Amino acid sequence: MDSPHKESLEKMWKFVKGFADKSGTTFHPTPGVTDSVVNGLAAHVDELGKPLCPCNFYKDKEAEAKLRRWICACDEMQIYKYCHCLLFVRGDGMPITEYLPEDHEGRQIYGLIADPTPDKGRALRHRAPAAIATTATADGTPSKRIPNQ
Amino acid sequence: MGTNALKVDDAGWETEVIKSPGLVMVDFWAVWCGPCQMVAPIVDELATEYAGKLKVMKLNTDENPEVAGRYQIMSIPTVLFFKNGQPVEKLIGARPKKQFKDIIDQLLTQSASPA
């Protein structure tokens, strides 16, 4: 991908800073990680008109952008507070995984990572399966295995 | 002096990976992917540490969509291991180096064992 336009980059930095604050997350302690992702989001704004997640491969980016599920902040972030791009993470750089289904790749990669700010974020939490939504917030350990969405 | 992972593309895939004897590791990555930046130095270190035993390659998914699509790559980074041209293991995400080494050691041990 080409380097993004300055305007797109500024727009994305403003968005991600605002969303991190709103969701109770922080940026990765390795600055290069955050810079890469924000550049990728801005480059997709230039290319597609939407900040499509740059940490996936898409056979058809334009078709994927229309589905909206991987437009930042993506469905996984809004439902589970999990950012596989490591853009919105905890202070220690770990992505929050406690609300994910047990068989989700995020749980398999990082294990159970608790949310330090459970009162923030997850605007679409109602779309999470009920078993996860109730037990994960109670003790951080989902009690029931459910399939991927 | 270390040996870094070698670039592979759609055109060279058959020759460099499928027809390559032994164990091949391929890092599917993209320029603006944050976790890919974390995995890249690990992949280069592994290329050095396992030189002569493991062929380590990297494929830019933005520039090489045919191969990435063929192996149904979704999240990146994804690292695939091939043995005699066949995919045998997959690791997704920014994992610690030890997890890569464990898989590589296991696959190399299997290769060394008598049939």
Side-chain angles (χ1 to χ4, degrees):
Chain A
M1 285 195 286
D2 295 331
S3 294
H5 293 130
K6 184 173 173 242
E7 296 76 19
S8 301
L9 207 46
E10 288 173 352
K11 177 182 167 185
M12 287 319 304
W13 273 114
K14 184 178 179 186
F15 169 75
V16 299
K17 284 174 181 172
F19 188 83
D21 185 50
K22 191 168 77 172
S23 62
T25 57
T26 187
F27 295 145
H28 199 277
T30 305
V33 171
T34 307
D35 288 344
S36 287
V37 178
V38 175
N39 271 275
L41 290 169
H44 276 155
V45 169
D46 291 343
E47 182 183 350
L48 307 161
K50 301 256 189 276
L52 189 66
C53 175
C55 301
N56 286 327
F57 167 72
Y58 313 98
K59 284 184 181 174
D60 185 337
K61 285 186 182 182
E62 291 192 3
E64 184 60 50
K66 286 176 185 166
L67 294 175
R68 303 198 65 83
R69 59 189 174 177
W70 290 110
I71 301 296
C72 190
C74 68
D75 283 5
E76 283 193 339
M77 187 66 201
Q78 305 261 18
I79 297 171
Y80 300 117
K81 207 167 171 176
Y82 172 67
C83 177
H84 85 283
C85 241
L86 305 181
L87 178 58
F88 303 115
V89 294
R90 305 196 315 184
D92 60 2
M94 298 301 286
I96 293 157
T97 65
E98 78 164 86
Y99 309 115
L100 290 172
E102 280 184 79
D103 58 352
H104 188 283
E105 69 181 37
R107 287 290 291 272
Q108 292 164 3
I109 297 168
Y110 302 105
L112 180 63
I113 308 295
D115 179 5
T117 56
D119 55 323
K120 287 191 169 185
R122 299 187 70 209
L124 300 181
R125 69 179 66 197
H126 58 279
R127 286 172 52 182
I132 296 298
T134 53
T135 60
T137 51
D139 62 9
T141 309
S143 61
K144 186 179 174 185
R145 185 182 176 86
I146 58 167
N148 274 331
Q149 286 195 321
Chain B
M1 188 171 157
T3 307
N4 285 346
L6 303 170
K7 289 181 184 175
V8 63
D9 57 17
D10 283 347
W13 183 258
E14 287 291 318
T15 306
E16 297 291 345
V17 178
I18 301 302
K19 292 180 180 171
S20 183
L23 190 60
V24 183
M25 173 177 144
V26 185
D27 173 20
F28 290 80
W29 69 288
V31 173
W32 299 128
C33 156
C36 297
Q37 313 292 327
M38 299 174 69
V39 167
I42 294 174
V43 169
D44 282 337
E45 287 173 21
L46 292 170
T48 301
E49 291 174 28
Y50 288 90
K53 299 177 188 171
L54 171 72
K55 188 174 183 180
V56 181
M57 315 289 291
K58 53 187 176 185
L59 181 136
N60 183 323
T61 58
D62 281 327
E63 296 173 355
N64 301 282
E66 186 185 319
V67 167
R70 190 187 310 169
Y71 292 95
Q72 299 179 319
I73 302 299
M74 181 63 192
S75 290
I76 46 177
T78 289
V79 172
L80 288 183
F81 294 90
F82 294 82
K83 193 181 277 187
N84 299 320
Q86 295 296 315
V88 290
E89 280 288 353
K90 175 163 72 172
L91 281 176
I92 298 172
R95 305 200 180 224
K97 186 176 178 182
K98 182 178 184 307
Q99 289 191 21
F100 289 96
K101 288 179 71 79
D102 287 347
I103 292 280
I104 294 166
D105 291 341
Q106 182 188 342
L107 291 171
L108 287 173
T109 302
Q110 287 171 5
S111 299
S113 300

